[in-house]
Amino acid sequence: MSELRVSPWKRFGHDRLYVNLPGGENVAWLDRATGQFHVIDEAHRVAALAALAPHIGTA
């Protein structure tokens, strides 16, 4: 599997981290304010959590 990318997104009062495939397709996102993790593609759940791990707790 190709490496997933984590991209910050801050707009409209939201602060999120999106997890994307190399082609740009979203597979998951994390709401930094609430801590809620949302999976778009269940096939990438574990990899998305692993990609987010270094970013959790950073502002």
Side-chain angles (χ1 to χ4, degrees):
M1 178 185 310
S2 300
E3 188 170 329
L4 298 175
R5 289 187 348 213
V6 177
S7 303
W9 182 86
K10 291 183 183 183
R11 290 188 185 95
F12 314 113
H14 298 286
D15 184 2
R16 297 177 178 167
L17 293 172
Y18 279 89
V19 182
N20 304 307
L21 293 171
E25 300 88 358
N26 292 331
V27 295
W29 56 275
L30 173 73
D31 186 312
R32 287 179 157 182
T34 65
Q36 289 184 320
F37 176 67
H38 301 268
V39 180
I40 298 164
D41 186 344
E42 284 291 334
H44 297 285
R45 175 183 286 275
V46 174
L49 286 168
L52 285 168
H55 301 277
I56 296 174
T58 61

